[in-house]
Amino acid sequence: MSDAERERLRPFLPVSNRRCGRWRDHRQVIDGILHRVRTGVQWRDLPERFGPWKTVYERHRLWSADGTWERLLQQVQAAADAAGEIDWDVSVDSTIMRAHQHADGAHTDPPPALASKGAEPTEHQGETAWQSLHARLVEVVREVRAWAAPAAGSPPSST
């Protein structure tokens, strides 16, 4: 996460209540979460530069469960819209595509890892800070929704 993105996101991030001790730096943890979402790496295989993998996992899990990611995305969208940096044009198409019933669960390889440490992904270069931050939060929220969708339809477990 760039310095500009961090500064724009800072007012929206949760603050530690100091009862549970100090939180690890949000920037480092969010970078770890974004790295995992972008590459598909297992939590335990996160590079050490993001801190302990369990800290990154727990923060992602907690923020997914309490809706923090959704709120962050909404707040960043609202701020970017106020700054005039979001184009809300929508294209609607009535085309219908049919796929075979077995086409849904194809296995895919995760995207390749970045070439160098700390390199900015090419898909976010040339964007404003709001656009880049918005795109990254959309990636995380999509992953959270995909993760939560199977659990929503499953029967409650009793353990």
Side-chain angles (χ1 to χ4, degrees), residues 14 23 28 38-39 47 78 91 96 98 107 111 126 130-131 137 140 142:
W23 279 7
Q28 185 181 29
R38 191 172 35 252
T39 63
S91 175
I96 297 174
R98 299 183 83 181
H107 295 285
W130 280 123
Q131 291 168 330
L137 285 173
V140 174
R142 282 184 183 154

Side-chain angles (χ1 to χ4, degrees), residues 29-150:
V29 173
I30 291 172
D31 282 344
I33 293 167
L34 292 173
H35 176 78
R36 186 203 175 267
V37 169
R38 191 172 35 252
T39 63
V41 68
Q42 296 294 319
W43 289 109
R44 291 180 186 261
D45 295 333
L46 275 175
E48 291 180 13
R49 68 180 181 268
F50 301 121
W53 71 267
K54 188 139 177 112
T55 301
V56 178
Y57 166 76
E58 284 297 324
R59 184 94 44 96
H60 180 59
R61 187 184 65 78
L62 290 171
W63 286 6
S64 298
D66 70 6
T68 299
W69 288 119
E70 296 279 347
R71 281 192 307 280
L72 285 174
L73 178 60
Q74 290 171 357
Q75 291 167 336
V76 166
Q77 281 176 333
D81 190 32
E85 295 186 13
I86 291 185
D87 183 14
W88 291 104
D89 289 340
V90 177
S91 175
V92 178
D93 186 3
S94 63
T95 304
I96 297 174
M97 290 185 61
R98 299 183 83 181
H100 191 272
Q101 63 187 3
H102 299 295
D104 183 32
H107 295 285
T108 60
D109 293 331
L114 296 176
S116 64
K117 283 188 177 181
E120 184 72 16
T122 56
E123 70 264 12
H124 297 296
Q125 289 179 351
E127 296 178 338
T128 66
W130 280 123
Q131 291 168 330
S132 177
L133 185 57
H134 178 261
R136 290 170 184 237
L137 285 173
V138 166
E139 290 175 18
V140 174
V141 169
R142 282 184 183 154
E143 193 245 356
V144 167
R145 288 177 181 165
W147 173 67

Side-chain angles (χ1 to χ4, degrees), residues 2-30:
S2 70
D3 291 337
E5 291 172 339
R6 179 182 188 210
E7 289 306 313
R8 292 191 187 254
L9 193 58
R10 184 190 310 244
F12 309 125
L13 292 172
V15 181
S16 171
N17 61 10
R18 302 275 184 206
R19 291 186 313 190
C20 303
R22 288 180 10 132
W23 279 7
R24 180 167 289 276
D25 181 36
H26 283 312
R27 182 179 189 168
Q28 185 181 29
V29 173
I30 291 172

